[in-house]
Amino acid sequence: MYRWLHGMPGVVVVGLQWGDEGKGKIVDSIAGNFEAVVRFQGGSNAGHTVVVGGQKRVFHLMPSGVLQGKLGVVGNGVVVDPKVLVEELNSLEEAGVRPRLLLSDKAHVTTELHKMQDEAEELDRGGMALGTTRRGIGPTYADKAARIGIRIIDLLHPDSLREKLKGLYSAKDHILRGRGEPPAFESLYGDLVRYGEILRPYVGRAEYTLNRMLSDGSRVLFEGAQGSLLDIDHGTYPYSTSSNTVAAAAAIGSGVPASAISEVIGVAKAYTTRVGGGPFPTEDTGEAGETLRRIGGEYGATTGRPRRCGWFDAVAGRYSVMLNGANYAMIMKLDVLGELNRVKIATAYRIDGATTDEFPSTPEELGGAAPVYEEFDGWRGTDKAVWERAKEEGISALPKSLRNYVGRLEEALGIPVRGLSYGPSREELVYLD
Ligand code: IMP
């Protein structure tokens, strides 16, 4: 029944670093070529800034493609805080936008209990805190795996929801005891039923819709959240998020077969940032890092926390390219990095006296890794006019130092670079052949 006759039906956009690479901008730029844009993992820990009705807003759950009239799908692999999603629907309504949203009935629900638990567990970790976004992500995925979770479909069935929520309260009782006042049962239950009524028109069997679309030759774009190095299996565990963030998760998290994914776009910043705890070998805690944070506006979209900043890590980058099977890379914020006189790329690590180009499995080993750097001249003074010219003439219009840097990234990552971003707007992007 399902035929993959059409070229490249499913395209995935993923981050090759620790999140905040600028995936949203790439999705925004290419969404016009697709019929649907799908979130497949993560929850309201993600955030990207969009302009709705002339006003800047941060979306955490709503696939941004809805602003271009595309079908926005929130897949089964996403954990949904219904309060956040309802707020996003309201802000779209205020701006006169009626989104085409399809919310998988199988997606798990994040409640106030999960957010309290996330907060409490972070406090308990003390100096070992993971630096989570405190959006209840870990506890929601934990309950899903423990098979005590509440799903979107449950919000539409108040009688069975009551029983399931009772089960959840009793499971959380020992965890939350003495940790502040959880919402009264009836109050949370009432909220969930109310959210269910608001969301009801959007809830559906997303896997059937997506498979039908793909088999009819429609193109579907899968929008990754967080980054590959935050993947629960392959990232810097336990300093990771609680979902699989790599491209393969697009299939599981939306109910399409692995064979539906035909192209993977890896997005990376020209330097590296990380929010939250955990090892970060190329972090620069000196002037260069400070400059990148200031000029790059490196503060979390969801939490406002300052991001840790440092150099491009090609050991990590190659590892991410491998895990995702990225076909090509988009390099973001080259204008920001270009403000520095000299720039660096880590091409290997020294660990216990030995040189390696493999990314370690433990935070201890990664924490002890000393990057081996190559240095390059920066490209200060490259103004917008030069970048505009590159749009017409290609990469040859850009300064030699910049071409050297990008050339070395291609070599180190082992895949072509197909896009260079030089500013926040959708237009500030040079596509390379
Ligand atoms: P959690 O996903 O809230 O559990 O947080 C776990 C780790 O992932 C923390 O280090 C967060 O800062 C990080 N994280 C979660 N979501 C994002 C994101 O969208 N961008 C960057 N880091 C994130």
Side-chain angles (χ1 to χ4, degrees), residues 343-407:
V343 298
K344 299 200 263 189
I345 298 176
T347 52
Y349 294 153
R350 295 278 300 166
I351 302 176
D352 293 335
T355 304
T356 178
D357 59 4
E358 291 193 2
F359 194 75
S361 299
T362 66
E364 291 78 15
E365 223 187 332
L366 188 63
V372 178
Y373 286 114
E374 288 179 24
E375 278 203 39
F376 302 80
D377 284 333
W379 41 93
R380 279 186 98 146
T382 308
D383 58 24
K384 301 272 170 186
V386 174
W387 284 106
E388 288 295 322
R389 213 165 55 241
K391 280 190 184 171
E392 303 297 320
E393 298 169 18
I395 197 164
S396 62
L398 296 173
K400 187 152 184 294
S401 54
L402 179 46
R403 282 184 279 139
N404 280 344
Y405 187 78
V406 172

Side-chain angles (χ1 to χ4, degrees), residues 18-20 45-47 130-134 137-138 226 230 240-241 275-277 305:
W18 278 285
D20 310 314
N45 48 351
L130 305 177
T132 74
T133 59
R134 305 192 178 202
I137 306 300
Q226 292 83 49
L230 289 170
S240 62
T241 190
V275 259
R305 291 179 289 178

Side-chain angles (χ1 to χ4, degrees), residues 284-295 309 311 339-341 380:
D284 186 297
T285 51
E287 209 180 309
E290 186 50 49
T291 305
L292 293 172
R293 180 159 42 250
R294 181 170 44 82
I295 299 178
C309 297
W311 305 107
E339 288 296 317
L340 302 174
N341 290 323
R380 279 186 98 146

